[in-house]
Amino acid sequence: MSDQSHSEPAILAGNLHGIDLSKLPKNLDMSVETITENVIAMHGNCPDERTKFIFTKLITHLHDFVRETDLTTEEWMSAIHFLTATGKKCTDLRQEFILLSDTLGVSSLVDSINNAKPPGATEASVLGPFFTDDALHVENGQSIASEGKGNYLWVEGKVLDTKGNAIPNVTIDTWETDGDGLYDNQYAQRGGPECRGRLQSAEDGSYAFRAVVPVFYSIPSDGPVGGLLKSLHRHVFRPAHLHMMLQAEGFEKLTTALYLNGDPWITSDAVFGVKSSLIVDMTEETDAEVARARGFKDTQKSHKVLKQDFVLATPEEAVTARKALLARVVAK
Ligand SMILES: [Fe+2]
């Protein structure tokens, strides 16, 4: 007589709502060693190979995380409470989960993998949460900022392909903080687009616009993610930057940002967006005639100048770059 306290499980066969029952796991007594394999086997029927692969990896890493950290029940419950609070903080205007992804470096990592660039092309950077689709069209040489929004800045450059040819008619979206470190959509009363604009590169690929010098700012820190950063003794600042998004027929869309050299937070960006190739120096222009020619209202004030060319990749070049990147990362 068997000393087993349970009966052998019946062998299931057939199909239940698309689930091949013969593929269900056969193990009992989930243990620290066997539970991962069983959970993975439970989605063995998933017809989508990519989904199956992603969830297999997710379960594997999650379980390894719990084992490697010797996670306590209290810590696990605290994580559940944190994620619940993060969800509750989300509204149409506030996305706390993206903030969590940003501050854990996941957004930047996804961005770097998905926007690998060939040598010579401008690198991408995180989109961030402050882009809006309602920027007004600005003619080359005109302003994206109203008078009084900050210190004067003149931005100019060219858009080129990787062979150095000019690209005309590139749609360039740009947005930035005002001199107080706030985007227009962070004000309770938003009159309309401010410190943002959309322009087109000229026939020779050139672009230029007036703006204000962006300043470093704090990411929203009054929610669960802010609390998490506080408990980790992490700061909440992003270095000063100017967002740029460039789109042209026949080229990969480029979402990037220019970071001002010398900013105190340049090497510890709260959302890990800085790349050294995107750090720029500004010069100072004191000639009143130049200020007048560029359209600044107060020509007695000096203004900063930021010169930057952008190099766009073709879709074929981007695919090759991404394959090379993944081969390098996976080979490690
Ligand atoms: Fe930003």
Side-chain angles (χ1 to χ4, degrees):
M1 199 164 161
S2 168
D3 59 1
Q4 278 182 292
S5 58
H6 61 80
S7 342
E8 287 295 331
I11 301 298
L12 292 170
N15 200 296
L16 176 71
H17 306 306
I19 301 170
D20 178 353
L21 299 175
S22 69
K23 286 187 180 172
L24 291 181
K26 307 291 184 289
N27 298 333
L28 274 174
D29 302 320
M30 292 303 102
S31 69
V32 170
E33 290 85 7
T34 62
I35 188 164
T36 305
E37 170 195 329
N38 255 52
V39 176
I40 290 170
M42 288 288 265
H43 63 244
N45 280 294
C46 179
D48 186 285
E49 285 303 320
R50 177 69 180 165
T51 304
K52 191 155 75 175
F53 172 74
I54 286 175
F55 275 85
T56 296
K57 287 289 182 186
L58 180 67
I59 299 298
T60 302
H61 289 291
L62 265 179
H63 286 206
D64 281 345
F65 169 79
V66 172
R67 280 185 284 260
E68 288 168 17
T69 57
D70 189 14
L71 200 70
T72 67
T73 304
E74 291 73 26
E75 288 164 342
W76 169 80
M77 203 59 215
S78 147
I80 298 288
H81 286 316
F82 170 77
L83 292 173
T84 305
T86 300
K88 285 182 175 175
K89 191 71 183 172
C90 294
T91 66
D92 287 348
L93 295 173
R94 172 84 177 253
Q95 231 304 353
E96 195 76 358
F97 270 113
I98 289 186
L99 192 63
L100 178 61
S101 166
D102 290 351
T103 53
L104 295 182
V106 178
S107 305
S108 181
L109 184 56
V110 171
D111 187 69
S112 295
I113 290 171
N114 283 271
N115 293 289
K117 301 293 181 216
T122 305
E123 289 192 281
S125 187
V126 288
L127 173 71
F130 299 116
F131 172 76
T132 66
D133 209 21
D134 63 350
L136 299 178
H137 177 76
V138 175
E139 292 296 329
N140 261 311
Q142 296 303 305
S143 184
I144 65 162
S146 302
E147 189 66 21
K149 280 291 172 181
N151 292 324
Y152 290 161
L153 173 67
W154 174 257
V155 187
E156 67 172 32
K158 278 191 165 191
V159 189
L160 307 162
D161 66 17
T162 55
K163 294 176 182 67
N165 302 308
I167 311 177
N169 300 317
V170 179
T171 301
I172 304 172
D173 269 289
T174 181
W175 66 106
E176 60 167 351
T177 66
D178 58 21
D180 291 325
L182 290 168
Y183 289 88
D184 60 0
N185 48 348
Q186 289 182 287
Y187 287 97
Q189 305 292 328
R190 181 181 187 249
E194 178 62 76
C195 294
R196 64 180 76 234
R198 180 172 294 159
L199 54 156
Q200 300 282 130
S201 65
E203 271 308 302
D204 63 352
S206 66
Y207 73 90
F209 59 93
R210 295 195 303 280
V212 294
V213 177
V215 300
F216 71 75
Y217 63 85
S218 163
I219 57 170
S221 59
D222 59 340
V225 174
L228 172 68
L229 298 184
K230 197 172 179 188
S231 72
L232 292 170
H233 286 226
R234 274 182 55 174
H235 74 70
V236 291
F237 297 109
R238 293 216 67 203
H241 56 273
L242 179 70
H243 290 277
M244 304 284 286
M245 185 194 286
L246 295 90
Q247 301 180 72
E249 191 80 30
F251 293 90
E252 284 288 287
K253 177 178 172 179
L254 172 66
T255 302
T256 190
L258 302 175
Y259 296 87
L260 303 187
N261 200 6
D263 189 285
W265 310 110
I266 201 93
T267 58
S268 65
D269 181 0
V271 305
F272 311 98
V274 183
K275 294 186 169 100
S276 56
S277 69
L278 300 175
I279 298 175
V280 292
D281 284 300
M282 295 184 298
T283 56
E284 179 125 10
E285 178 59 66
T286 55
D287 189 329
E289 278 311 308
V290 175
R292 183 172 292 111
R294 287 174 174 168
F296 288 110
K297 190 173 177 188
D298 184 352
T299 55
Q300 295 312 303
K301 271 176 34 180
S302 67
H303 63 270
K304 298 284 188 188
V305 178
L306 197 169
K307 291 187 179 181
Q308 181 70 20
D309 291 344
F310 292 91
V311 179
L312 302 186
T314 63
E316 298 74 31
E317 289 171 331
V319 167
T320 305
R322 188 174 176 194
K323 279 184 185 162
L325 171 76
L326 289 176
R328 205 171 70 234
V329 173
V330 173
K332 271 186 181 173

